[in-house]
Amino acid sequence: MKNKFNQLLLFFLVFGYGLNAQTWKDPNADIEDRVDDLLSKMTLEEKINYCGSRIPGIDRLGVPYFEWYGEALHGIIAWNCTQFPQNIAMGSTWNPDLMFDVATAISNEARALKNKGEKEVMMFSPTVNMARDPRWGRNGECYSEDPFLMSEMARMYVRGMQGNDPKYVKTVTTVKHYVANNVDKYREKIFSNINKKDLYEYYFPAYKTCIVDEEATGIMTALNGLNGIPCSAHNWAVNDVLRKEWGFEGYVIADWTAVEGLETRMHYAKSQPEAAAMAIKAGVDQECYRNNKKQAPMVYALKPAIDQGLLTEEELNVSVRRLLKLRFRTGDFDDPSLNPYSKIPEEVLECDTHKALALKAAEEAIVLLKNDDILPLSNNEKSLAVIGPFANRCWMGIYSGFPKSKVSPLDGLRKATSAEINFAEGCGVTATEEDDQKIAEAVEMAKKSEKVILVVGNDETTSTENVDRASLKLPGNQHKLIQAVQAVNKNVILVLVPSGPTAIAWEQENIPGIICTWPNGQEQGTALANVLFGKVNPGGKLNSTWYSSDDELPDFHDYNIQTGRTYMYYDGTPLYPFGFGLSYTSFDIEKMKVNAKKVNPQQDVIVTANVSNIGDMDGDEVVQLYIKSLNPTQQSPKKALKGFKKVHVAKGQKTSIQLQVPYEAFAHYDSVDNQFKVDEGAYEILLGNSSENILARHTVKVKAGTIPSIKVGEKSGYFDANNENRSRNWDYLYQNEKGFATSKDEDDDQYHWIEYEITFVDPGFYVNTWEAELNFVSASKNAVVTTSMEGAQIGEYTIKGNKLPIRIPIPPEYGKPVRLKIKTLKGEVEHKSIKIIPPGNKQAYTIENVVIHTQTKIN
């Protein structure tokens, strides 16, 4: 009897343990088992909630609230986070290793915020939409018009963001916008029509590199449609290509309310439940939407979809499993001591190491377009006129965060030289009634100065999300300003801060010095000054073709890459070719050798050459390798980039380079057999320092063959398993604890300052800044104020009259009060109010209450 009792006791103990087992909490359990265990404990409502960006906690299970929403395009959108050069600038560095460093710093800051409990690490980046047309409003967000350069930069962004830990990801990357979203106006209603050859050869490669080679964790589908089907319900694009063909196991999120739009904008679904069911069945797991009061539309539609028999709970479970798996991979349910990224301290935020890296990246991104012996500037310059709407502004591009410090071109030049510097705005970015007067002031200043630094460009008023560029010309009266200044002073250095290729044919003909500096991060002013005065030799190269006028571009909506788009198919003479960029020194590429005259299937080709610096200054050169088919069987590129190497060479010295070209570099996509093939024949391997300046060439005979299809778990011929970036820990950037140091800002005590408290509401779409107006009871003549929000610099202004229009940054989180500080740097100012002007049709409102007001006397 006793033995029988013991057996029953043992049975109940084991059975009871099984009932209460928490496999999902066991860090040593298989991740699939953990996911299935947690999923089995969730109600249908709790599963559905995972399909939106704001996910309620499950108190009974101890699962906390979670926000699946973060931006990290070129820095975290948050207060006091380092802002690196915009993606278009990073592409111009032609330096994937530098991209890895930058991504490591960005993801370290993301983790630091998560460790503080302030942010999650679900990041909607990188953007790998091809820059096929420079009029696209979001052109500045992507790395290149070329699929190979795009792929190589994007792969190292993903690698740096996700980290190298075998168990945990540092951040979740979401590669976007899949696919072919290159027109922003009416993007949520229009379709991109693209043949299969262009998709596989041009639009898909960067996505495939990120997914297959680097095992990116997420994909965001685009708001547009592809070939008659909305991207967020595209079974072939998502299930067949991403998941089956490429083996993608991560999550897919629809862009902002794109699932809702299947019915309301695309008219593809008959109801919201049908739209939600379509998305889930097509392999889309979640809908992007962030609102303090409402869930994503998809969340509300899923229960009715199941009730109506349009979707089963098991089909929903497939998506929820993928979403839960990523929470496990970020370490959300494990003891922090098990996760190496939980050790990343708050001190990394905008630390000196990161700011130094931002400066290095900004310096490498600058492209010298023309130099008729006017650069570099002498240290003995006596007077400089610094003119232009971007001269006294640190424009960092769209999707930027809010660092404590920003260095404008004017700030950088003032710190770099003892020359007398005078500033004039010259004109607005867009035309205003005051422009003629401002141009006249700039002309008078230019007459009195030895040289002029003229800083122009375009910003979110003319190129951003929802707004495409109307023209490649500079907006407003900026061309008029340039010509007026050049008429009275021939010693002009034109500095461009563009979102992409810009039509400056007259300027190329008439201005002696032209530099493209891009929206170049928070250290852009210092980087520009270092290049202008020769402390740094510019080595950036253009990542897209620059055209002389709008007339040289095909129809904006034409996605056929073979109709004259990019350097690969453009038949005209570009203003500046793809890959172009000058230096203060000169280079030669010689003694090119190829290890094989005949190339067999799956054989790599090794190309070597010497790079000599034959000038008078140390510098960087980018050796670019292109392939050209000499007897193509179909329309093929005039040449296509298939390799590159950035090298630093001291003056009078030379270095050897080696480029490994895989067999797949000779392939084209056969849309009949649905695979990549190599045609037998002769191919030229070209080496140069731009797509037009080829300095060495070699012909090889290539045998016909097919390229084996690969998916996650396999690697392409360009995957370098020995790249040291694949073994680096998160802290390699910092030599020691001093690497976390942050320089102290100047003390504020000498200034009068006030603070307004502002609560922003979500306007329902992305904007980078809001309009505002400071109103004063009185202000002395030429009084100067500076503004900041939560410690992040906004700008410095000279007051003229009793009103001052300003732009203030959007906060990282809506609905939370933030403080706007206004310091008086010069003169006397009595504040009255601030008027907040929301975007869209929302009504403006005025705040008169001053939260803090110091009475400290100014010295």
Side-chain angles (χ1 to χ4, degrees):
M1 179 67 85
K2 185 175 182 181
N3 286 338
K4 191 173 183 180
F5 174 78
N6 288 338
Q7 288 174 355
L8 286 171
L9 178 62
L10 180 62
F11 170 80
F12 285 119
L13 285 173
V14 171
F15 182 72
Y17 174 78
L19 286 176
N20 295 294
Q22 298 288 310
T23 303
W24 71 275
K25 290 186 177 181
D26 181 2
N28 297 314
D30 180 81
I31 191 169
E32 300 295 345
D33 293 338
R34 299 181 73 185
V35 169
D36 284 342
D37 183 49
L38 180 54
L39 185 70
S40 70
K41 295 174 168 57
M42 295 169 63
T43 65
L44 176 60
E45 180 184 4
E46 290 163 350
K47 295 173 185 177
I48 288 172
N49 283 334
Y50 263 81
C51 297
S53 294
R54 285 188 159 153
I55 302 167
I58 307 175
D59 293 339
R60 62 187 179 79
L61 296 177
V63 177
Y65 165 86
F66 189 79
E67 184 167 297
W68 201 297
Y69 195 107
E71 302 285 359
L73 186 69
H74 58 114
I76 304 300
I77 294 189
W79 304 114
N80 308 325
C81 287
T82 314
Q83 299 303 297
F84 295 91
Q86 180 63 284
N87 283 16
I88 193 171
M90 288 304 302
S92 294
T93 69
W94 289 62
N95 191 344
D97 289 336
L98 180 60
M99 184 75 261
F100 177 83
D101 292 345
V102 167
T104 297
I106 294 172
S107 55
N108 284 354
E109 294 195 3
R111 267 289 167 173
L113 290 172
K114 180 175 175 63
N115 293 340
K116 288 178 65 182
E118 294 184 3
K119 284 276 188 180
E120 295 298 340
V121 289
M122 321 306 286
M123 297 301 167
F124 296 157
S125 52
T127 298
V128 300
N129 295 87
M130 300 304 302
R132 65 167 186 108
D133 194 305
R135 292 168 294 192
W136 180 37
R138 303 180 70 173
N139 191 78
E141 292 185 40
C142 52
Y143 300 113
S144 179
E145 73 175 17
D146 177 80
F148 181 72
L149 178 56
M150 174 76 87
S151 296
E152 293 306 293
M153 296 301 292
R155 79 156 73 238
M156 281 303 157
Y157 176 91
V158 171
R159 183 57 26 232
M161 290 294 289
Q162 293 188 180
N164 294 315
D165 188 81
K167 183 173 183 178
Y168 298 107
V169 293
K170 191 176 2 167
T171 68
V172 169
T173 58
T174 309
V175 188
K176 63 184 189 183
H177 309 82
Y178 183 74
V179 60
N181 174 196
N182 288 126
V183 176
D184 247 58
K185 187 175 182 180
Y186 303 131
R187 58 187 175 158
E188 69 280 0
K189 298 179 180 180
I190 60 177
F191 293 87
S192 306
N193 296 306
I194 309 173
N195 63 61
K196 226 174 185 182
K197 179 178 174 62
D198 279 351
L199 280 173
Y200 275 89
E201 290 185 0
Y202 188 74
Y203 294 100
F204 279 172
Y207 293 98
K208 186 176 181 181
T209 295
C210 292
I211 290 166
V212 176
D213 275 0
E214 304 306 328
E215 300 185 23
T217 44
I219 290 282
M220 177 182 285
T221 53
L223 285 165
N224 58 286
L226 172 66
N227 296 337
I229 303 173
C231 289
S232 296
H234 211 300
N235 186 67
W236 176 80
V238 180
N239 277 333
D240 290 348
V241 176
L242 286 182
R243 300 205 183 279
K244 295 177 185 176
E245 186 177 332
W246 297 348
F248 178 59
E249 297 179 350
Y251 90 105
V252 174
I253 184 171
D255 203 348
W256 189 270
T257 68
V259 176
E260 176 187 54
L262 295 176
E263 179 208 5
T264 60
R265 298 185 292 272
M266 292 285 194
H267 307 297
Y268 191 77
K270 298 182 179 66
S271 67
Q272 284 299 294
E274 184 181 38
M278 281 181 172
I280 293 291
K281 288 185 174 184
V284 176
D285 307 311
Q286 198 176 52
E287 183 179 42
C288 174
Y289 183 77
R290 186 176 67 162
N291 186 285
N292 287 335
K293 298 179 180 179
K294 295 188 294 184
Q295 288 277 43
M298 183 179 182
V299 171
Y300 296 113
L302 280 170
K303 180 62 164 54
I306 292 173
D307 291 342
Q308 294 171 27
L310 301 171
L311 186 72
T312 67
E313 185 171 355
E314 185 49 44
E315 287 174 315
L316 175 65
N317 286 346
V318 173
S319 285
V320 180
R321 279 190 183 93
R322 288 192 282 250
L323 299 167
L324 287 175
K325 186 175 182 178
L326 284 176
R327 289 201 68 177
F328 282 102
R329 292 192 67 194
T330 60
D332 272 9
F333 304 128
D334 294 350
D335 189 308
S337 65
L338 301 175
N339 186 340
Y341 306 125
S342 67
K343 300 177 179 65
I344 299 178
E346 178 183 357
E347 285 75 17
V348 301
L349 299 173
E350 207 176 344
C351 64
D352 289 346
T353 295
H354 289 185
K355 288 195 286 187
L357 180 59
L359 175 59
K360 182 179 188 295
E363 291 168 347
E364 289 201 27
I366 292 175
V367 184
L368 178 61
L369 297 176
K370 184 179 179 181
N371 185 19
D372 284 351
D373 297 323
I374 195 171
L375 291 170
L377 296 174
S378 166
N379 290 326
N380 298 319
E381 303 288 348
K382 293 181 180 178
S383 61
L384 296 173
V386 182
I387 296 170
F390 290 86
N392 191 28
R393 177 185 182 193
C394 185
W395 168 239
M396 299 183 295
I398 60 177
Y399 278 93
S400 294
F402 318 114
K404 287 182 180 178
S405 63
K406 295 187 295 185
V407 185
S408 70
L410 181 61
D411 294 333
L413 288 165
R414 281 174 171 166
K415 293 176 182 177
T417 179
S418 59
E420 178 186 354
I421 292 183
N422 295 298
F423 163 70
E425 184 183 10
C427 66
V429 177
T430 55
T432 70
E433 295 178 355
E434 301 175 342
D435 279 352
D436 287 342
Q437 179 183 345
K438 290 179 179 179
I439 291 173
E441 293 172 356
V443 166
E444 290 304 309
M445 186 177 293
K447 288 179 181 177
K448 301 173 185 178
S449 303
E450 284 186 327
K451 292 184 174 69
V452 177
I453 312 296
L454 194 47
V455 192
V456 297
N458 64 292
D459 62 7
E460 80 277 21
T461 60
T462 61
S463 179
T464 187
E465 189 165 358
N466 291 307
V467 179
D468 295 308
R469 291 168 74 182
S471 169
L472 297 187
K473 294 180 180 179
L474 292 165
N477 289 310
Q478 293 182 84
H479 286 290
K480 182 178 179 181
L481 168 67
I482 295 167
Q483 293 179 13
V485 168
Q486 188 268 352
V488 298
N489 190 327
K490 305 303 180 186
N491 297 315
V492 175
I493 299 161
L494 183 66
V495 177
L496 297 166
V497 185
S499 66
T502 303
I504 51 167
W506 184 92
E507 288 78 4
Q508 170 62 21
E509 183 71 24
N510 294 279
I511 302 295
I514 304 176
I515 282 179
C516 181
T517 190
W518 313 108
N520 215 9
Q522 70 184 78
E523 298 294 327
Q524 62 185 259
T526 303
L528 175 62
N530 287 346
V531 167
L532 289 176
F533 283 95
K535 186 177 179 180
V536 169
N537 188 354
K541 302 285 185 179
L542 294 179
N543 52 15
S544 292
T545 305
W546 283 44
Y547 306 92
S548 296
S549 74
D550 300 330
D551 297 335
E552 299 178 12
L553 291 171
D555 182 89
F556 193 18
H557 293 267
D558 180 5
Y559 278 81
N560 187 338
I561 202 66
Q562 298 170 42
T563 55
R565 290 198 178 280
T566 80
Y567 76 95
M568 292 185 285
Y569 293 100
Y570 176 58
D571 289 325
T573 300
L575 179 65
Y576 306 114
F578 173 80
F580 175 79
L582 301 174
S583 171
Y584 294 152
T585 190
S586 299
F587 296 95
D588 195 12
I589 300 172
E590 56 187 358
K591 295 186 177 179
M592 175 185 176
K593 294 181 180 179
V594 178
N595 72 332
K597 293 182 180 180
K598 294 183 178 179
V599 182
N600 294 316
Q602 314 318 320
Q603 177 186 346
D604 288 351
V605 177
I606 307 299
V607 180
T608 59
N610 289 339
V611 183
S612 301
N613 185 337
I614 57 177
D616 299 324
M617 189 175 183
D618 298 351
D620 293 337
E621 180 62 298
V622 179
V623 181
Q624 302 163 36
L625 185 151
Y626 298 86
I627 289 180
K628 176 182 180 180
S629 175
L630 295 180
N631 51 350
T633 59
Q634 58 185 315
Q635 187 173 7
S636 62
K638 296 193 300 179
K639 61 177 74 75
L641 183 72
K642 297 298 178 180
F644 60 90
K645 181 96 173 168
K646 188 169 191 174
V647 292
H648 182 79
V649 189
K651 63 180 180 180
Q653 300 296 311
K654 66 180 178 180
T655 189
S656 297
I657 61 106
Q658 176 177 301
L659 292 166
Q660 185 167 333
V661 184
Y663 182 69
E664 66 194 60
F666 299 94
H668 66 87
Y669 188 77
D670 187 313
S671 55
V672 176
D673 291 339
N674 294 320
Q675 63 181 337
F676 279 93
K677 291 183 176 181
V678 175
D679 290 336
E680 185 156 343
Y683 294 79
E684 267 195 324
I685 299 176
L686 314 171
L687 290 184
N689 57 12
S690 84
S691 59
E692 294 293 312
N693 192 33
I694 302 303
L695 300 173
R697 63 184 69 218
H698 192 95
T699 300
V700 294
K701 300 289 186 179
V702 182
K703 290 285 188 180
T706 59
I707 307 301
S709 59
I710 59 171
K711 56 177 57 179
V712 173
E714 303 164 321
K715 302 299 178 185
S716 75
Y718 280 104
F719 182 85
D720 181 5
N722 297 317
N723 188 311
E724 61 183 353
N725 293 333
R726 302 190 183 284
S727 59
R728 293 186 187 275
N729 295 325
W730 71 265
D731 57 353
Y732 79 94
L733 288 172
Y734 321 98
Q735 294 182 352
N736 49 48
E737 290 185 2
K738 291 183 180 178
F740 301 145
T742 303
S743 301
K744 299 294 184 183
D745 296 330
E746 293 182 7
D747 194 86
D748 289 342
D749 288 346
Q750 62 176 314
Y751 301 117
H752 291 306
W753 54 275
I754 72 161
E755 290 185 14
Y756 291 111
E757 187 169 273
I758 309 168
T759 300
F760 295 87
V761 295
D762 193 338
F765 56 91
Y766 171 77
V767 288
N768 197 68
T769 57
W770 285 25
E771 302 283 351
E773 181 182 88
L774 294 177
N775 296 294
F776 311 102
V777 175
S778 62
S780 59
K781 186 177 181 180
N782 294 324
V784 177
V785 296
T786 185
T787 57
S788 65
M789 187 177 285
E790 299 296 302
Q793 289 185 9
I794 298 176
E796 182 178 309
Y797 311 90
T798 299
I799 300 175
K800 297 178 180 179
N802 291 331
K803 293 182 179 180
L804 176 65
I806 65 171
R807 287 182 177 271
I808 52 181
I810 61 167
E813 297 87 20
Y814 293 111
K816 296 181 180 179
V818 292
R819 297 286 182 89
L820 177 73
K821 177 184 281 190
I822 306 158
K823 295 190 295 190
T824 303
L825 304 182
K826 178 182 176 182
E828 296 182 1
V829 178
E830 185 177 352
H831 294 268
K832 180 181 180 182
S833 63
I834 180 171
K835 183 179 181 181
I836 307 298
I837 307 169
N841 298 319
K842 297 185 183 298
Q843 189 172 358
Y845 57 95
T846 299
I847 300 170
E848 296 181 346
N849 181 47
V850 172
V851 180
I852 297 177
H853 188 180
T854 69
Q855 299 292 337
T856 309
K857 183 178 181 181
I858 299 176
N859 294 330

